[in-house]
Amino acid sequence: MARQINDGVGVTTSETWYPLPPIELGRAGGTIASVTRVSGGTGYTAGTLATTDDNPNGSGCTLTVTVTGGVINAAVTVANGGDGYRVGDLLTVTGGGSNATFRVATLSYTN
């Protein structure tokens, strides 16, 4: 779903909104299986980087990234999926000059 946002100064932007999926009773969320890049950031070197969460849902995710010219490419591997995430959660990769962001695309659950 897309929605438009007006900043009050005459600039209108649109962003993709991800409704939260239903979660099993007694389960806060899941382990990240894949992410999609929102922004590649700047000033990075390749390797495994920790993420911080712009939401209170999950923790512990690390991503293995490739970098071209200091920018994280779209090709990213989830090194550690953490736990407690929901599809649509926003992740920030710190350590660059301008932080990269990723959106949780799919989850996996273990019983």
Side-chain angles (χ1 to χ4, degrees):
M1 298 174 131
R3 62 182 174 171
Q4 290 192 339
I5 301 168
N6 189 323
D7 68 0
V9 197
V11 176
T12 302
T13 60
S14 60
E15 65 179 28
T16 302
W17 176 69
Y18 296 90
L20 296 175
I23 300 293
E24 286 180 37
L25 207 53
R27 185 183 291 272
T31 300
I32 297 174
S34 68
V35 296
T36 57
R37 187 181 79 158
V38 175
S39 167
T42 60
Y44 289 98
T45 56
T48 301
L49 303 173
T51 63
T52 59
D53 306 311
D54 294 343
N55 64 72
N57 293 334
S59 63
C61 176
T62 56
L63 304 174
T64 302
V65 300
T66 55
V67 176
T68 303
V71 176
I72 295 177
N73 293 328
V76 173
T77 303
V78 177
N80 179 351
D83 193 33
Y85 293 97
R86 291 182 172 194
V87 170
D89 283 351
L90 188 66
L91 307 172
T92 300
V93 179
T94 58
S98 166
N99 292 335
T101 54
F102 292 85
R103 184 125 359 236
V104 176
T106 60
L107 299 172
S108 65
Y109 294 96
T110 55
N111 292 327

